[in-house]
Amino acid sequence: LTFVSGVAAVEALAEVAPAPPARLRFPNDVQLENRKLGGILVEAMLQGGSAIPLIGIGLNVAPREWPEELATRAIALSEVNDAVSVEQVEKALLAALTRTWHLWQTEGFKAILPLYHTYRDPEARREFVRDGNTLRCRVLHMDVDGTVTLEAEDGVRWSACAPEVVLGND
């Protein structure tokens, strides 16, 4: 659902503010101009024996002053397009999430994954933990079965199952 939500977020942003394009950074960041525009958090709540997903999508839309430690890493949509309102983003996001949810429900993750690959930033890097060591890597590919292919800065490639990937503090 993180990927379903990420695709929806980028599609909504493309509708209300197409340039510059927002991109996805594995697994749950929305980026704009290589800075963090927002993030996605998915949790589940048990209700009547069923898991009910709780999806949180946060996007920085309105202008704000960033703390010094975030000034070069965070961005608000208004910094590149001040004509877009929170209400426009909300309306577009709800419509896009409805579409991508329906696509996922009817066709499965195999229909979402190509969209994710279209919208992801292939150069985005994250810190991953492998065998107790922190490696700065980019995600080269993700398969329908959840296998991710990573490339460390030294060019070494390795694969891991997405649910088992442990991210460092970046």
Side-chain angles (χ1 to χ4, degrees), residues 7 11 13 16 23 33 62 81 86 96 104 115 120 135 158 162:
V7 165
E11 288 184 349
L13 291 165
V16 298
R23 307 300 273 170
E33 296 189 334
N81 189 331
V86 171
W104 173 66
L115 297 170
R120 75 181 179 89
L135 301 170
W158 52 290

Side-chain angles (χ1 to χ4, degrees), residues 30-43:
V30 179
Q31 293 189 301
L32 187 65
E33 296 189 334
N34 297 316
R35 293 161 61 194
K36 188 169 179 176
L37 178 66
I40 298 156
L41 179 63
V42 178
E43 295 186 6

